[in-house]
Amino acid sequence: PNQYVRYSSELSYEIIGMPVLFKGNNQLGESASGFFTFSPVRPSPSPLIYLVITPPPNAGFRTLLHGLQPAGLRADAPVKSGGVNEELEVKFDNATLLAGSAYTFGVTIYNPGGAPNPSTNYWGLAIRDYNYDAFDSNLNIPGLDLGTVPIRCYGIGWTSAAPRVLATVMIQIRVLHEIAPGTLTTISIRAPEGIMFSEDLSAIRILPQPLPMVEGNKATIAGDTLILNLDGNLPIKGNLVYNIRFEVINPVVYPHDNTWSVLAKKNIDIEFSHVLTGYVFGQVSPFDLTLGSSRVGSSAGPSQRFPLGAASARL
């Protein structure tokens, strides 16, 4: 019995938030690519969609389409380019989204000079249709804990992007000034899904100067992650470029989340993170690995070029 003359009870639909993962650079005052990987709960009503990215409120972030990374989705035009603390709206004219499928895109993010409030350090991502009606969203995407570590990541190079071949990959980092012993315990490099690290640890080299690593256990391969074990009793020398070289087996098909993550940790705490767009078939490397070029872009400082026969650290 109830107060209604006519009454019908039917099963409704479950309200589910769209899963979204955010990753990028976690250094105060730095600009770098930030990547969003999302899986829509509902399919897009039409190929034309808008992605609306909302930074943590009043935290000083600025998000720009300039430098959008082709890790999966490719944008056609910005609708509204974000100012400080403002949304960024991006239009995709032909991006039919399937429910349950994962998609990745990257944008340029200028981090603030001060740490955001932990209670409000959440990003938002809304997907809107051709009528600008939101059909999927997540406004509680955890942001990164920002800090200051004197490490910069300048780029990635490779000898071949062909499928199913053994290729040499190089990731370049720069240590701005000396890092005290014990500050960091590992530097990890995580590859895109499907790329396999070579089990030959002797192929791992660091040019032109060595990193201080643990004797007898310098490196570990754990699935899609290469871990360099740092000696906690030695400092990491500063004002130096370190070119970390290793071998991988390229996949047959590159994944939607075609990104490489570089993490510097103290035990389990991530002190430094940076994410790079991976290479694809036919793409030319910005580094000439036969010479070991140490510069990508003007921000890398004075260029240093040296042959592979120059001083190097070999595991």
CSV table of all heavy atoms in Angstrom, one decimal, residues 12-57:
chain,number,residue,atom,x,y,z
A,12,SER,N,15.8,0.8,-12.7
A,12,SER,CA,16.4,2.0,-13.4
A,12,SER,C,17.9,1.6,-13.7
A,12,SER,O,18.3,0.5,-13.5
A,12,SER,CB,16.4,3.2,-12.4
A,12,SER,OG,17.0,4.3,-13.1
A,13,TYR,N,18.6,2.6,-14.3
A,13,TYR,CA,20.0,2.3,-14.7
A,13,TYR,C,20.9,2.7,-13.5
A,13,TYR,O,20.6,3.6,-12.7
A,13,TYR,CB,20.4,3.0,-16.0
A,13,TYR,CG,20.2,4.5,-15.9
A,13,TYR,CD1,21.3,5.3,-15.4
A,13,TYR,CD2,19.1,5.1,-16.3
A,13,TYR,CE1,21.1,6.7,-15.4
A,13,TYR,CE2,18.9,6.5,-16.3
A,13,TYR,CZ,20.0,7.3,-15.8
A,13,TYR,OH,19.9,8.7,-15.7
A,14,GLU,N,22.1,2.1,-13.5
A,14,GLU,CA,23.0,2.4,-12.4
A,14,GLU,C,23.9,3.6,-12.9
A,14,GLU,O,24.3,3.7,-14.0
A,14,GLU,CB,24.0,1.2,-12.2
A,14,GLU,CG,25.0,1.4,-11.1
A,14,GLU,CD,25.8,0.2,-10.9
A,14,GLU,OE1,25.7,-0.8,-11.7
A,14,GLU,OE2,26.7,0.2,-10.0
A,15,ILE,N,24.1,4.5,-11.9
A,15,ILE,CA,24.9,5.7,-12.2
A,15,ILE,C,26.3,5.4,-11.9
A,15,ILE,O,26.7,5.0,-10.8
A,15,ILE,CB,24.5,6.9,-11.3
A,15,ILE,CG1,23.0,7.3,-11.6
A,15,ILE,CG2,25.4,8.1,-11.5
A,15,ILE,CD1,22.5,8.4,-10.7
A,16,ILE,N,27.2,5.4,-13.0
A,16,ILE,CA,28.6,5.0,-12.9
A,16,ILE,C,29.4,6.2,-13.4
A,16,ILE,O,29.2,6.7,-14.5
A,16,ILE,CB,28.8,3.7,-13.8
A,16,ILE,CG1,27.9,2.6,-13.3
A,16,ILE,CG2,30.3,3.3,-13.7
A,16,ILE,CD1,28.0,1.4,-14.2
A,17,GLY,N,30.4,6.5,-12.6
A,17,GLY,CA,31.4,7.5,-13.1
A,17,GLY,C,32.4,7.0,-14.1
A,17,GLY,O,32.7,5.8,-14.1
A,18,MET,N,32.7,7.8,-15.0
A,18,MET,CA,33.7,7.4,-16.1
A,18,MET,C,35.1,7.3,-15.5
A,18,MET,O,35.6,8.2,-14.9
A,18,MET,CB,33.7,8.5,-17.2
A,18,MET,CG,34.7,8.2,-18.3
A,18,MET,SD,34.6,9.4,-19.6
A,18,MET,CE,35.1,10.9,-18.7
A,19,PRO,N,35.7,6.1,-15.7
A,19,PRO,CA,37.1,5.9,-15.2
A,19,PRO,C,38.1,6.8,-15.9
A,19,PRO,O,38.1,6.8,-17.2
A,19,PRO,CB,37.4,4.4,-15.4
A,19,PRO,CG,36.0,3.8,-15.6
A,19,PRO,CD,35.2,4.9,-16.2
A,20,VAL,N,38.9,7.5,-15.2
A,20,VAL,CA,39.9,8.4,-15.8
A,20,VAL,C,41.2,8.3,-15.0
A,20,VAL,O,41.2,8.4,-13.8
A,20,VAL,CB,39.4,9.9,-15.9
A,20,VAL,CG1,40.5,10.7,-16.7
A,20,VAL,CG2,38.1,10.0,-16.6
A,21,LEU,N,42.3,8.2,-15.7
A,21,LEU,CA,43.6,8.2,-15.1
A,21,LEU,C,44.4,9.4,-15.6
A,21,LEU,O,44.5,9.6,-16.8
A,21,LEU,CB,44.4,6.9,-15.4
A,21,LEU,CG,45.9,6.9,-14.9
A,21,LEU,CD1,46.0,6.9,-13.4
A,21,LEU,CD2,46.6,5.7,-15.5
A,22,PHE,N,45.0,10.2,-14.7
A,22,PHE,CA,45.8,11.3,-15.1
A,22,PHE,C,47.3,11.1,-14.7
A,22,PHE,O,47.5,10.6,-13.6
A,22,PHE,CB,45.3,12.6,-14.4
A,22,PHE,CG,46.2,13.8,-14.6
A,22,PHE,CD1,46.4,14.4,-15.8
A,22,PHE,CD2,47.0,14.3,-13.5
A,22,PHE,CE1,47.3,15.5,-15.9
A,22,PHE,CE2,47.8,15.3,-13.6
A,22,PHE,CZ,48.0,15.9,-14.8
A,23,LYS,N,48.2,11.4,-15.6
A,23,LYS,CA,49.6,11.3,-15.3
A,23,LYS,C,50.4,12.4,-16.0
A,23,LYS,O,49.9,12.9,-17.1
A,23,LYS,CB,50.2,9.9,-15.7
A,23,LYS,CG,50.0,9.5,-17.1
A,23,LYS,CD,50.4,8.1,-17.4
A,23,LYS,CE,50.2,7.7,-18.8
A,23,LYS,NZ,50.6,6.3,-19.1
A,24,GLY,N,51.5,12.8,-15.5
A,24,GLY,CA,52.3,13.8,-16.1
A,24,GLY,C,53.5,14.2,-15.2
A,24,GLY,O,54.0,13.4,-14.5
A,25,ASN,N,53.9,15.5,-15.4
A,25,ASN,CA,55.1,16.0,-14.6
A,25,ASN,C,54.6,16.5,-13.3
A,25,ASN,O,53.6,17.2,-13.2
A,25,ASN,CB,55.7,17.1,-15.4
A,25,ASN,CG,57.0,17.6,-14.8
A,25,ASN,OD1,56.9,18.3,-13.8
A,25,ASN,ND2,58.1,17.3,-15.3
A,26,ASN,N,55.3,16.2,-12.2
A,26,ASN,CA,54.9,16.6,-10.8
A,26,ASN,C,55.8,17.6,-10.2
A,26,ASN,O,56.0,17.6,-9.0
A,26,ASN,CB,54.8,15.3,-9.9
A,26,ASN,CG,56.2,14.7,-9.6
A,26,ASN,OD1,57.2,15.0,-10.3
A,26,ASN,ND2,56.2,13.9,-8.6
A,27,GLN,N,56.5,18.4,-11.0
A,27,GLN,CA,57.4,19.4,-10.5
A,27,GLN,C,56.8,20.8,-10.5
A,27,GLN,O,56.1,21.2,-11.4
A,27,GLN,CB,58.7,19.4,-11.3
A,27,GLN,CG,59.4,18.1,-11.2
A,27,GLN,CD,59.8,17.7,-9.8
A,27,GLN,OE1,60.7,18.4,-9.2
A,27,GLN,NE2,59.2,16.7,-9.3
A,28,LEU,N,57.0,21.5,-9.4
A,28,LEU,CA,56.4,22.9,-9.2
A,28,LEU,C,57.0,23.8,-10.3
A,28,LEU,O,58.2,23.8,-10.5
A,28,LEU,CB,56.7,23.4,-7.8
A,28,LEU,CG,56.0,22.8,-6.7
A,28,LEU,CD1,56.6,23.2,-5.3
A,28,LEU,CD2,54.5,23.1,-6.7
A,29,GLY,N,56.2,24.6,-10.9
A,29,GLY,CA,56.6,25.6,-11.8
A,29,GLY,C,57.1,25.1,-13.2
A,29,GLY,O,57.6,25.9,-14.0
A,30,GLU,N,56.9,23.9,-13.5
A,30,GLU,CA,57.3,23.3,-14.8
A,30,GLU,C,56.2,23.2,-15.7
A,30,GLU,O,55.0,23.0,-15.3
A,30,GLU,CB,58.0,21.9,-14.5
A,30,GLU,CG,59.3,22.0,-13.9
A,30,GLU,CD,60.4,22.7,-14.7
A,30,GLU,OE1,60.5,22.4,-15.9
A,30,GLU,OE2,61.0,23.6,-14.2
A,31,SER,N,56.5,23.2,-17.0
A,31,SER,CA,55.5,22.9,-18.1
A,31,SER,C,55.9,21.7,-18.8
A,31,SER,O,57.0,21.5,-19.1
A,31,SER,CB,55.4,24.1,-19.0
A,31,SER,OG,56.6,24.2,-19.8
A,32,ALA,N,54.9,20.8,-19.0
A,32,ALA,CA,55.2,19.5,-19.6
A,32,ALA,C,53.8,18.9,-20.1
A,32,ALA,O,52.8,19.5,-19.8
A,32,ALA,CB,55.9,18.6,-18.7
A,33,SER,N,53.9,17.8,-20.8
A,33,SER,CA,52.6,17.2,-21.2
A,33,SER,C,52.0,16.4,-20.0
A,33,SER,O,52.7,15.7,-19.3
A,33,SER,CB,52.9,16.2,-22.3
A,33,SER,OG,53.4,16.8,-23.5
A,34,GLY,N,50.7,16.5,-20.0
A,34,GLY,CA,49.9,15.7,-19.0
A,34,GLY,C,48.9,14.9,-19.8
A,34,GLY,O,48.4,15.3,-20.9
A,35,PHE,N,48.7,13.6,-19.4
A,35,PHE,CA,47.9,12.7,-20.2
A,35,PHE,C,46.7,12.2,-19.4
A,35,PHE,O,46.8,11.9,-18.2
A,35,PHE,CB,48.8,11.5,-20.6
A,35,PHE,CG,49.9,11.8,-21.6
A,35,PHE,CD1,51.1,12.3,-21.1
A,35,PHE,CD2,49.7,11.7,-22.9
A,35,PHE,CE1,52.2,12.6,-22.0
A,35,PHE,CE2,50.8,12.0,-23.8
A,35,PHE,CZ,52.0,12.5,-23.3
A,36,PHE,N,45.6,12.1,-20.2
A,36,PHE,CA,44.4,11.6,-19.6
A,36,PHE,C,44.0,10.3,-20.4
A,36,PHE,O,43.9,10.3,-21.6
A,36,PHE,CB,43.2,12.6,-19.7
A,36,PHE,CG,43.4,13.9,-18.9
A,36,PHE,CD1,44.2,14.9,-19.4
A,36,PHE,CD2,42.9,14.0,-17.6
A,36,PHE,CE1,44.4,16.1,-18.7
A,36,PHE,CE2,43.1,15.1,-16.9
A,36,PHE,CZ,43.8,16.2,-17.4
A,37,THR,N,43.8,9.2,-19.6
A,37,THR,CA,43.3,8.0,-20.2
A,37,THR,C,41.9,7.7,-19.6
A,37,THR,O,41.7,7.7,-18.4
A,37,THR,CB,44.2,6.8,-19.9
A,37,THR,OG1,45.5,7.0,-20.5
A,37,THR,CG2,43.6,5.5,-20.5
A,38,PHE,N,40.9,7.7,-20.5
A,38,PHE,CA,39.5,7.5,-20.0
A,38,PHE,C,38.8,6.4,-20.8
A,38,PHE,O,39.1,6.1,-21.9
A,38,PHE,CB,38.7,8.8,-20.2
A,38,PHE,CG,38.6,9.3,-21.6
A,38,PHE,CD1,37.4,9.0,-22.3
A,38,PHE,CD2,39.6,10.0,-22.2
A,38,PHE,CE1,37.2,9.4,-23.6
A,38,PHE,CE2,39.4,10.5,-23.5
A,38,PHE,CZ,38.2,10.2,-24.2
A,39,SER,N,37.8,5.8,-20.1
A,39,SER,CA,36.9,4.8,-20.7
A,39,SER,C,35.5,5.2,-20.6
A,39,SER,O,34.9,5.1,-19.5
A,39,SER,CB,37.2,3.4,-20.0
A,39,SER,OG,38.5,3.0,-20.1
A,40,PRO,N,34.9,5.7,-21.7
A,40,PRO,CA,33.5,6.1,-21.6
A,40,PRO,C,32.5,5.0,-21.1
A,40,PRO,O,32.7,3.9,-21.5
A,40,PRO,CB,33.2,6.6,-23.0
A,40,PRO,CG,34.5,6.8,-23.7
A,40,PRO,CD,35.4,5.8,-23.0
A,41,VAL,N,31.6,5.4,-20.3
A,41,VAL,CA,30.6,4.5,-19.8
A,41,VAL,C,29.5,4.3,-20.9
A,41,VAL,O,28.9,3.3,-21.0
A,41,VAL,CB,30.0,4.9,-18.5
A,41,VAL,CG1,28.8,4.0,-18.0
A,41,VAL,CG2,31.1,5.0,-17.4
A,42,ARG,N,29.3,5.4,-21.7
A,42,ARG,CA,28.3,5.4,-22.7
A,42,ARG,C,28.9,5.8,-24.1
A,42,ARG,O,29.9,6.5,-24.1
A,42,ARG,CB,27.2,6.5,-22.4
A,42,ARG,CG,26.5,6.2,-21.0
A,42,ARG,CD,25.7,7.4,-20.6
A,42,ARG,NE,25.2,7.3,-19.2
A,42,ARG,CZ,25.9,7.5,-18.2
A,42,ARG,NH1,27.2,7.9,-18.3
A,42,ARG,NH2,25.4,7.3,-17.0
A,43,PRO,N,28.4,5.2,-25.1
A,43,PRO,CA,29.0,5.6,-26.5
A,43,PRO,C,28.6,7.0,-26.8
A,43,PRO,O,27.6,7.6,-26.4
A,43,PRO,CB,28.3,4.6,-27.4
A,43,PRO,CG,27.0,4.2,-26.7
A,43,PRO,CD,27.3,4.3,-25.2
A,44,SER,N,29.4,7.6,-27.7
A,44,SER,CA,29.1,9.0,-28.1
A,44,SER,C,27.9,9.0,-29.1
A,44,SER,O,27.9,8.1,-29.9
A,44,SER,CB,30.4,9.6,-28.8
A,44,SER,OG,30.8,8.8,-29.9
A,45,PRO,N,27.0,9.9,-28.9
A,45,PRO,CA,25.9,10.0,-29.8
A,45,PRO,C,26.2,10.3,-31.3
A,45,PRO,O,25.5,10.0,-32.2
A,45,PRO,CB,25.0,11.1,-29.2
A,45,PRO,CG,25.5,11.3,-27.8
A,45,PRO,CD,26.9,10.9,-27.9
A,46,SER,N,27.4,11.0,-31.5
A,46,SER,CA,27.8,11.3,-32.8
A,46,SER,C,29.3,11.4,-32.8
A,46,SER,O,30.0,11.4,-31.8
A,46,SER,CB,27.2,12.7,-33.2
A,46,SER,OG,27.8,13.7,-32.4
A,47,PRO,N,29.9,11.4,-34.0
A,47,PRO,CA,31.4,11.5,-34.1
A,47,PRO,C,31.9,12.8,-33.6
A,47,PRO,O,33.1,12.9,-33.1
A,47,PRO,CB,31.7,11.4,-35.6
A,47,PRO,CG,30.5,10.7,-36.2
A,47,PRO,CD,29.3,11.2,-35.4
A,48,LEU,N,31.1,13.9,-33.6
A,48,LEU,CA,31.6,15.2,-33.1
A,48,LEU,C,31.4,15.3,-31.6
A,48,LEU,O,30.3,15.1,-31.1
A,48,LEU,CB,30.8,16.3,-33.8
A,48,LEU,CG,31.4,17.8,-33.6
A,48,LEU,CD1,31.0,18.7,-34.7
A,48,LEU,CD2,30.9,18.4,-32.2
A,49,ILE,N,32.6,15.5,-30.9
A,49,ILE,CA,32.5,15.6,-29.5
A,49,ILE,C,33.4,16.7,-29.0
A,49,ILE,O,34.2,17.2,-29.7
A,49,ILE,CB,33.0,14.3,-28.8
A,49,ILE,CG1,34.5,14.0,-29.1
A,49,ILE,CG2,32.1,13.1,-29.1
A,49,ILE,CD1,35.1,12.9,-28.3
A,50,TYR,N,33.2,17.2,-27.8
A,50,TYR,CA,34.0,18.1,-27.1
A,50,TYR,C,34.5,17.5,-25.8
A,50,TYR,O,33.8,16.9,-25.1
A,50,TYR,CB,33.2,19.4,-26.8
A,50,TYR,CG,32.6,20.1,-27.9
A,50,TYR,CD1,31.4,19.8,-28.4
A,50,TYR,CD2,33.3,21.2,-28.5
A,50,TYR,CE1,30.8,20.5,-29.5
A,50,TYR,CE2,32.8,21.9,-29.6
A,50,TYR,CZ,31.5,21.5,-30.1
A,50,TYR,OH,31.0,22.2,-31.1
A,51,LEU,N,35.8,17.7,-25.6
A,51,LEU,CA,36.4,17.3,-24.3
A,51,LEU,C,36.6,18.6,-23.5
A,51,LEU,O,37.3,19.5,-24.0
A,51,LEU,CB,37.7,16.5,-24.5
A,51,LEU,CG,37.6,15.2,-25.2
A,51,LEU,CD1,39.0,14.5,-25.2
A,51,LEU,CD2,36.6,14.3,-24.5
A,52,VAL,N,36.1,18.6,-22.3
A,52,VAL,CA,36.3,19.8,-21.4
A,52,VAL,C,37.1,19.4,-20.2
A,52,VAL,O,36.7,18.6,-19.4
A,52,VAL,CB,34.9,20.4,-21.0
A,52,VAL,CG1,35.1,21.6,-20.1
A,52,VAL,CG2,34.0,20.6,-22.2
A,53,ILE,N,38.3,20.0,-20.1
A,53,ILE,CA,39.3,19.7,-19.0
A,53,ILE,C,39.2,20.8,-18.0
A,53,ILE,O,39.5,22.0,-18.4
A,53,ILE,CB,40.7,19.5,-19.6
A,53,ILE,CG1,40.7,18.5,-20.7
A,53,ILE,CG2,41.7,19.1,-18.5
A,53,ILE,CD1,41.8,18.7,-21.7
A,54,THR,N,39.0,20.4,-16.8
A,54,THR,CA,38.9,21.4,-15.7
A,54,THR,C,40.0,21.2,-14.7
A,54,THR,O,40.1,20.1,-14.1
A,54,THR,CB,37.6,21.3,-14.9
A,54,THR,OG1,36.5,21.4,-15.9
A,54,THR,CG2,37.4,22.4,-13.9
A,55,PRO,N,40.9,22.2,-14.5
A,55,PRO,CA,42.0,22.0,-13.6
A,55,PRO,C,41.5,22.1,-12.1
A,55,PRO,O,40.4,22.6,-11.9
A,55,PRO,CB,43.0,23.1,-13.9
A,55,PRO,CG,42.1,24.2,-14.4
A,55,PRO,CD,41.0,23.5,-15.2
A,56,PRO,N,42.3,21.7,-11.1
A,56,PRO,CA,42.0,21.9,-9.7
A,56,PRO,C,41.7,23.4,-9.5
A,56,PRO,O,42.4,24.2,-10.0
A,56,PRO,CB,43.2,21.4,-9.0
A,56,PRO,CG,43.9,20.4,-9.9
A,56,PRO,CD,43.6,20.9,-11.3
A,57,PRO,N,40.6,23.7,-8.7
A,57,PRO,CA,40.2,25.1,-8.6
A,57,PRO,C,41.2,25.9,-7.8
A,57,PRO,O,41.7,25.5,-6.8
A,57,PRO,CB,38.9,24.9,-7.8
A,57,PRO,CG,39.0,23.6,-7.1
A,57,PRO,CD,39.8,22.7,-8.0
